[in-house]
Amino acid sequence: MARQQEQDDIVKEGSFLSIISDGSTDVSSKEAEIVYVRTSVRCQVSTLFIGVKNVPKADGEHISTAISNLMTERFQETWKEKLVAMGTDGASVMLGKTSGVVKRIKDMTSRPVYAIHCSAHRIELAYKDAIKGTKIWQRCDALMLNIYLFYKYSPLNRANLKASFESPNMKMLLSTRVGGTRWVPHHERALKNVLHGHAAIVRHLEQMQAPGEARKDSSAKARNFFKALKDKHTLFGFILCLMLFKA
């Protein structure tokens, strides 16, 4: 409660505020909206977590109502007098000109509210647009996803991969998912993990091809992954994509 009171005092003292909002789903697959507030007091910028609210439906009406209710519960009606901007992703449900969330919030406040498209989201969209149709990226992306799934759903494969890492005393870094999130840093981490563990992964995949080491279907997958990871064009693709992230 002390922390909440401190946040309320900051918002009360600030002469303006902006709302940052994004959608998600909880463990029960229910839609939810998370809300932050950003304000400044004597040139000290603060970003404050306000809360999470479940929404019956992820449309403009329900999301804007959830945001409004969260803000009003904390700050009564005063937040409407200070709101100057909203930061969201670029989805039409958020930025739609006629019935988007920002438009609905603007109508509630009867004052100018500037819509700010999340810079991280814009970078992601620009990156995806730049590599769209690039075969080398599509090949590397699909390979990383398949390797991730190959180890994620097999405790035996993970255990044997761990042993492959331990034999040369390497730190084990598991392959991470590249298709489950849109953010560029997760793609970069997936690339780094595959390159870091390349030798250990290749060693384990080679072992799986020995007679009696794995089921036929697993052995066939291991053979395909092994061949792809040993291909110099694949390695070049991994390194090139990682360089693009660092550019």
Side-chain angles (χ1 to χ4, degrees):
M1 291 299 293
R3 176 60 176 167
Q4 181 172 318
Q5 185 59 52
E6 180 184 348
Q7 292 181 343
D8 292 350
D9 291 341
I10 291 173
V11 172
K12 183 178 180 180
E13 192 173 353
S15 58
F16 65 90
L17 62 84
S18 60
I19 293 174
I20 304 171
S21 178
D22 196 13
S24 183
T25 53
D26 60 21
V27 292
S28 61
S29 298
K30 292 182 179 179
E31 296 284 349
E33 197 70 17
I34 185 170
V35 177
Y36 287 82
V37 158
R38 173 166 281 195
T39 188
S40 177
V41 177
R42 293 185 294 276
C43 298
Q44 181 66 44
V45 177
S46 299
T47 303
L48 312 172
F49 172 71
I50 303 303
V52 178
K53 196 85 165 179
N54 285 114
V55 292
K57 185 179 180 182
D59 59 11
E61 178 183 358
H62 290 93
I63 293 174
S64 58
T65 299
I67 294 172
S68 176
N69 289 344
L70 269 175
M71 295 295 293
T72 302
E73 288 169 8
R74 284 287 297 273
F75 311 114
Q76 289 76 50
E77 297 294 321
T78 57
W79 68 272
K80 296 180 180 179
E81 301 169 5
K82 296 183 177 183
L83 183 65
V84 297
M86 282 192 66
T88 72
D89 62 24
S92 58
V93 70
M94 302 301 292
L95 298 181
K97 293 183 178 180
T98 57
S99 58
V101 171
V102 177
K103 174 63 166 59
R104 290 173 181 271
I105 295 292
K106 180 180 178 180
D107 291 342
M108 293 178 190
T109 62
S110 299
R111 56 180 289 125
V113 177
Y114 296 97
I116 300 173
H117 187 176
C118 167
S119 58
H121 190 246
R122 293 174 68 182
I123 290 173
E124 174 73 12
L125 292 175
Y127 177 80
K128 283 183 174 291
D129 189 57
I131 64 173
K132 183 171 56 179
T134 306
K135 291 184 178 180
I136 192 169
W137 168 254
Q138 293 174 350
R139 180 181 179 184
C140 292
D141 200 45
L143 179 58
M144 286 191 296
L145 176 60
N146 286 326
I147 290 174
Y148 162 78
L149 296 173
F150 185 70
Y151 288 107
K152 175 178 173 62
Y153 293 111
S154 174
L156 178 61
N157 286 347
R158 286 199 304 274
N160 290 334
L161 178 62
K162 182 179 179 180
S164 183
F165 270 98
E166 289 174 348
S167 59
N169 199 26
M170 291 175 61
K171 180 181 179 181
M172 182 176 179
L173 294 177
L174 284 173
S175 300
T176 56
R177 187 177 181 90
V178 294
T181 178
R182 301 183 67 180
W183 305 119
V184 168
H186 288 201
H187 288 269
E188 183 179 7
R189 184 177 66 176
L191 282 165
K192 286 181 176 179
N193 286 5
V194 168
L195 287 171
H196 167 82
H198 182 270
I201 296 171
V202 167
R203 184 163 47 250
H204 173 237
L205 294 174
E206 187 174 22
Q207 292 169 355
M208 288 188 67
Q209 298 174 59
E213 285 294 322
R215 300 194 316 267
K216 286 186 178 181
D217 57 336
S218 295
S219 180
K221 289 181 180 179
R223 188 181 309 110
N224 291 332
F225 296 154
F226 175 82
K227 183 179 179 180
L229 287 173
K230 291 286 286 183
D231 187 345
K232 63 181 181 181
H233 295 98
T234 302
L235 281 174
F236 172 76
F238 283 149
I239 295 170
L240 177 62
C241 292
L242 190 58
M243 289 173 63
L244 289 175
F245 283 121
K246 294 181 177 297

